[in-house]
Amino acid sequence: MVTPTLPPPPAPPPVVPPTPSILKAAVNTSDRRQVPPIGIIYGREKVGKTTFCADAPDPIILATERGSNYVKAHVIEITSWDDMMRYIKALGTEDHHYKTVVIDSLDLFEPMVKLELCRMFSSPNVEEILGGFQKWTNLILPVWSAFIEALSKLRYRKGMSIVMIAHMHIRDSKDPRGDNYDSITMRLD
């Protein structure tokens, strides 16, 4: 009797080295550090934005409005651009236990930003800067940028989280292609 012969087993597939990852090669993992968050919370009046922020880790509230006085947190009243920048600088240079800075609120801080722009241009109001309607809008960006840069230093140098509060505004938006609709935005110019 003849025993059947089995075919030889198939050759194993060739070993293909994995393709090196471009991302893994580019990402620096040796000095990775956790950067605290920065964000904006906005909504209607009296819905608890400040109360919510007062529960953040070790908060200090830089308050441009009186609503912050009703929460259990350390509050500094801000009445001018110079106040805001002075206290942000102090948070960046002095020793303290705070882990979160809350700006309450951006829409009440905005007039202080505009007054700073007027001071810079020796103008009684923003509409007279450059002599016309809304011509000041590009000039105010560096002022806002100085504010954001100062807050960013707190994040990177002091490890502080940043929360900014604003109120909402509902605008009628005109759609030339269809029905008009409401837009919900921050109450800022």
Side-chain angles (χ1 to χ4, degrees):
M1 173 158 168
V2 179
T3 53
T5 58
L6 296 173
V15 177
V16 178
T19 306
S21 169
I22 294 172
L23 291 176
K24 284 183 182 176
V27 173
N28 180 358
T29 59
S30 63
D31 65 348
R32 185 178 293 170
R33 63 181 178 150
Q34 189 70 24
V35 178
I38 184 171
I40 298 175
I41 296 174
Y42 70 99
R44 293 188 319 248
E45 288 84 356
K46 306 294 180 207
V47 295
K49 298 176 297 295
T50 305
T51 302
F52 175 76
C53 291
D55 284 336
D58 295 322
I60 183 163
I61 300 174
L62 303 182
T64 60
E65 64 176 44
R66 301 237 187 270
S68 301
N69 294 333
Y70 300 104
V71 297
K72 285 189 97 173
H74 293 162
V75 178
I76 298 175
E77 286 190 27
I78 302 296
T79 59
S80 69
W81 166 267
D82 288 336
D83 277 355
M84 182 69 79
M85 298 307 283
R86 181 174 50 253
Y87 288 114
I88 291 173
K89 183 178 181 180
L91 286 168
T93 57
E94 296 178 14
D95 289 334
H96 57 79
H97 69 280
Y98 302 111
K99 294 180 183 164
T100 307
V101 63
V102 179
I103 309 299
D104 187 10
S105 72
L106 287 177
D107 41 307
L108 291 176
F109 179 55
E110 184 181 43
M112 298 175 202
V113 174
K114 288 179 180 179
L115 281 173
E116 174 63 10
L117 185 66
C118 289
R119 186 198 60 75
M120 291 167 61
F121 283 87
S122 301
S123 177
N125 64 60
V126 291
E127 295 304 336
E128 290 186 22
I129 296 172
L130 297 181
F133 178 73
Q134 298 284 315
K135 291 189 177 182
W136 56 270
T137 53
N138 286 337
L139 299 174
I140 206 162
L141 293 177
V143 183
W144 277 113
S145 292
F147 169 69
I148 297 299
E149 184 178 326
L151 291 175
S152 292
K153 287 179 183 176
L154 294 179
R155 286 180 71 211
Y156 290 103
R157 294 182 184 167
K158 286 290 205 172
M160 295 183 74
S161 299
I162 312 296
V163 183
M164 294 170 276
I165 296 174
H167 296 97
M168 68 178 238
H169 177 69
I170 300 175
R171 283 196 173 111
D172 292 330
S173 295
K174 310 290 184 211
D175 187 346
R177 298 168 291 171
D179 294 337
N180 296 339
Y181 58 93
D182 290 338
S183 295
I184 298 175
T185 62
M186 286 186 284
R187 192 184 301 155
L188 296 171
D189 282 343

